[in-house]
Structures are given as C-alpha cells and as structure tokens.
Amino acid sequence: MKNRIILLLIFIIISCDSSPDMNIKNIENKIVPQLIKDQYNVAFLIMNGTFNTELTAPYDIFQHTTFRKGIKSMNVFTVANTGKPIKTFEGIRILPDFNYLKDSLPKIDILVVPSAEHHLDSDLNDVQMINFVKKVAKNAQFITSHCDGAFVLAKAGVLEGRVSTTFPSDIDKMKKMFPSLDIRKDVLFVHDDKYITSAGGAKSFEAALYLCEYLYGSEIAISLAKGLVIEWKLDDLSYIYKENL
C-alpha cells in the first residue's frame, strides 16, 4: 500500500511539472495552423520587440476575411526564428506558429513585416532573418511592411528601384541609411509592384484594408472596416500607387 502511494505521488509530480520547457514543447506539438486550399497564406514575421499595433492591425483585418463569402480569404499565421514565445515591445507573449529556421513552411503568398524595437539597428544584422525575407520575396504575391518594417525590406534589397515609405519620424534616417531608395513623406502607404509599405501605427489598418480592396473590391473592404468600426473610403486617403506616378 505504501509503495502504491509513493508511485501515485511520483506520477502526480511528473504530470504537474510546470517547467517552461515542458509546457512550450507540449504547446508546440499541438499548434498546427489549418492550411486550407484556395486561401492566401499570410505570414507575419515576428520577433522579440515587435510592436503590437503593427502586428495586430493587419492581422485583424486579414483574419476577418475568413468571415466573408465568395472570396479567396486569408489564412494568417506567425513565423519567427524560434519555436518559443516571443515578447512584444508592449509585453504580450506570442507563441509563433512556425520556426522559419527549422520548420517546413507552407508557401507564403503574402508576407507581413510589422515594426520591431530594433529594426533600425541590431535586427538589420540578423543575416538569417534578412535572407528569409529575400527568399520569400522571390515568390510571394505581396510583401507588406508597417512602420520600421520597411528598414528590413530595404536591408533585404527588395525596395531597390521601388517607391516606399516608413514611420514619419524615421524617414530621414531611412534615407540616410539607404540613400539609393526613393522614400516618400506625407503619405500613409505606398504600393509599388508587389510591395506595400506603410507609415504604421493605427494607419496599419488602412494599409491592410487597401490590400483587401485591391484584391477583393471596395464592398468587401468597407465590410471589413465596418466590422472594426473604421471609416473607410480609399479616395480620402493620402497614398501612392506606383502606376499613378
């Protein structure tokens, strides 16, 4: 009887082990995004220091396309250089859906690069991350950035010969760092070829809604905006579409 009690206690201790590594491993094994045929696969590149708004604004807009009928909706998921939780600048912990260094990723149709705390300095020295962006850019239908995410695209070399923008107060920094680029002020976002760069912040909603209108038409974009209590009329916005230059 005594031996049975001891064995039972050992089993309970093992079952209740709350060590971070064990929990993370168990969670990782269970989380597998449902990749549905005939959807756009939309990957959000996240890392420690990612800013909430530049991540959640386009994520909300794109994810809500799944509730609209008759369109090729968006399947959203996160990618990072780790399978462990990342911590946003504002302190939210997020478990990435895929580790781009180890996992087999689905074909990425749209890559979203939100801004992060170190996109103006140390992140630009992350060779693996920059190479990941370069690789995805070759075949993706759209590459979008919000706020200082444009610095990552610039470092990856994909904005050469393109018109772009970034967070208003960082435009001069970007021009100095990448003098060959055509970087515009006083616009909310720029669409040049398959690249859409936005000023970021709350205007990340507008850039995401713009892509939805481009893909699905104004009726769907207005519907998505209403779902998030956003006034949406593309003609009222200050933006650049390269073909109009």
Side-chain angles (χ1 to χ4, degrees):
M1 183 66 178
K2 183 177 180 180
N3 289 337
R4 288 182 180 178
I5 292 174
I6 292 173
L7 288 172
L8 179 60
L9 288 172
I10 292 173
F11 174 78
I12 292 172
I13 291 170
I14 293 174
S15 299
C16 296
D17 187 344
S18 59
S19 66
D21 290 340
M22 177 173 285
N23 286 338
I24 290 168
K25 182 178 180 181
N26 288 340
I27 292 171
E28 284 184 276
N29 289 338
K30 291 180 181 178
I31 289 185
V32 179
Q34 298 300 307
L35 305 180
I36 302 172
K37 191 178 180 181
D38 298 326
Q39 281 189 317
Y40 293 107
N41 285 329
V42 184
F44 284 73
L45 179 61
I46 62 174
M47 61 201 69
N48 286 320
T50 292
F51 290 102
N52 287 353
T53 304
E54 283 80 15
L55 167 62
T56 60
Y59 197 103
D60 281 355
I61 296 294
F62 294 160
Q63 194 277 337
H64 279 68
T65 63
T66 61
F67 302 107
R68 303 299 182 274
K69 296 181 180 179
I71 65 172
K72 182 178 179 179
S73 61
M74 299 184 183
N75 174 57
V76 298
F77 52 88
T78 54
V79 297
N81 64 357
T82 179
K84 296 183 178 181
I86 64 96
K87 186 177 181 180
T88 69
F89 181 79
E90 292 83 2
I92 295 178
R93 293 185 183 277
I94 300 173
L95 185 69
D97 293 312
F98 293 98
N99 177 348
Y100 64 77
L101 296 180
K102 295 182 178 180
D103 297 335
S104 176
L105 273 63
K107 179 181 178 295
I108 296 173
D109 300 305
I110 300 171
L111 177 66
V112 182
V113 184
S115 183
E117 180 182 8
H118 293 292
H119 273 1
L120 275 67
D121 43 72
S122 58
D123 285 342
L124 300 182
N125 297 321
D126 185 341
V127 176
Q128 291 176 313
M129 187 262 286
I130 298 300
N131 285 341
F132 171 74
V133 172
K134 288 181 181 179
K135 181 179 178 181
V136 173
K138 289 179 180 179
N139 298 308
Q141 294 182 44
F142 292 96
I143 306 291
T144 76
S145 69
H146 300 275
C147 189
D148 292 333
F151 282 73
V152 173
L153 301 189
K155 183 67 175 182
V158 301
L159 295 182
E160 290 293 335
R162 312 288 179 198
V163 180
S164 62
T165 193
T166 188
F167 188 65
S169 64
D170 290 334
I171 287 176
D172 290 338
K173 293 178 184 177
M174 189 170 171
K175 285 183 174 182
K176 185 176 181 179
M177 191 177 295
F178 304 100
S180 64
L181 297 186
D182 184 352
I183 304 162
R184 302 297 178 90
K185 294 183 177 182
D186 303 320
V187 291
L188 299 181
F189 55 87
V190 175
H191 178 190
D192 187 342
D193 193 39
K194 63 181 178 181
Y195 302 96
I196 298 174
T197 53
S198 90
K203 301 309 176 183
S204 300
F205 283 106
E206 275 86 347
L209 282 166
Y210 167 80
L211 179 55
C212 288
E213 178 156 333
Y214 186 84
L215 292 173
Y216 308 124
S218 60
E219 185 176 339
I220 292 295
I222 290 170
S223 172
L224 292 167
K226 284 183 177 179
L228 291 163
V229 197
I230 298 172
E231 293 292 330
W232 176 252
K233 189 176 180 182
L234 183 57
D235 291 341
D236 291 343
L237 302 179
S238 174
Y239 73 98
I240 292 174
Y241 178 39
K242 179 66 177 292
E243 289 188 2
N244 293 335
L245 290 176

